[in-house]
């Protein structure tokens, strides 16, 4: 199932040399925004692909969660934060 949401990003270079990416997912049903920390500058296409991959991992981890033992099966990703808008 391919999602057709539109992703827009803004980047900010940090003193560490890493890039902080703020992204907006423009979806009428569920708009979201978040932050991604990447090592150094990357092309926009690569950043958007990485955001999509991390969102898909988060979705699949949520689907695989056992309701009787609600601990995420995947380790927490401290470089990727996602919020509802």
């Amino acid at each position: 199932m391919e999602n057709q949401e539109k992703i827009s990003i803004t980047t900010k270079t940090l003193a560490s040399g890493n890039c902080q990416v703020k992204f907006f997912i423009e979806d009428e049903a569920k708009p979201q925004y978040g932050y991604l920390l990447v090592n150094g500058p990357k092309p926009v296409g690569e950043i958007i692909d990485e955001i999509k991959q991390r969102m898909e991992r988060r979705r699949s981890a949520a689907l695989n969660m056992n309701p009787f033992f609600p601990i995420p099966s995947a380790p927490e990703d401290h470089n990727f934060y996602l919020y509802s808008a």
Side-chain angles (χ1 to χ4, degrees):
M1 180 166 116
E2 181 65 28
N3 292 330
Q4 297 300 321
E5 28 319 280
K6 184 175 184 293
I7 299 176
S8 57
I9 66 169
T10 57
T11 60
K12 176 181 175 182
T13 303
L14 305 175
S16 65
N18 292 335
C19 266
Q20 179 190 45
V21 179
K22 183 174 185 178
F23 60 91
F24 297 94
I25 300 169
E26 299 167 22
D27 181 1
E28 288 182 19
K30 188 177 180 184
Q32 297 174 306
Y33 71 98
Y35 297 92
L36 172 67
L37 183 65
V38 294
N39 297 329
K42 288 186 175 183
V44 172
E46 276 185 41
I47 292 172
I48 290 175
D49 286 343
E50 187 166 343
I51 291 168
K52 288 179 180 179
Q53 289 171 3
R54 289 179 186 233
M55 287 182 60
E56 188 56 39
R57 271 185 266 163
R58 183 170 282 194
R59 281 188 200 115
S60 65
L63 291 175
N64 293 331
M65 188 178 288
N66 183 343
F68 300 107
F69 193 62
I71 295 177
S73 58
E76 185 67 26
D77 186 353
H78 296 288
N79 291 333
F80 183 74
Y81 296 93
L82 184 62
Y83 306 98
S84 293

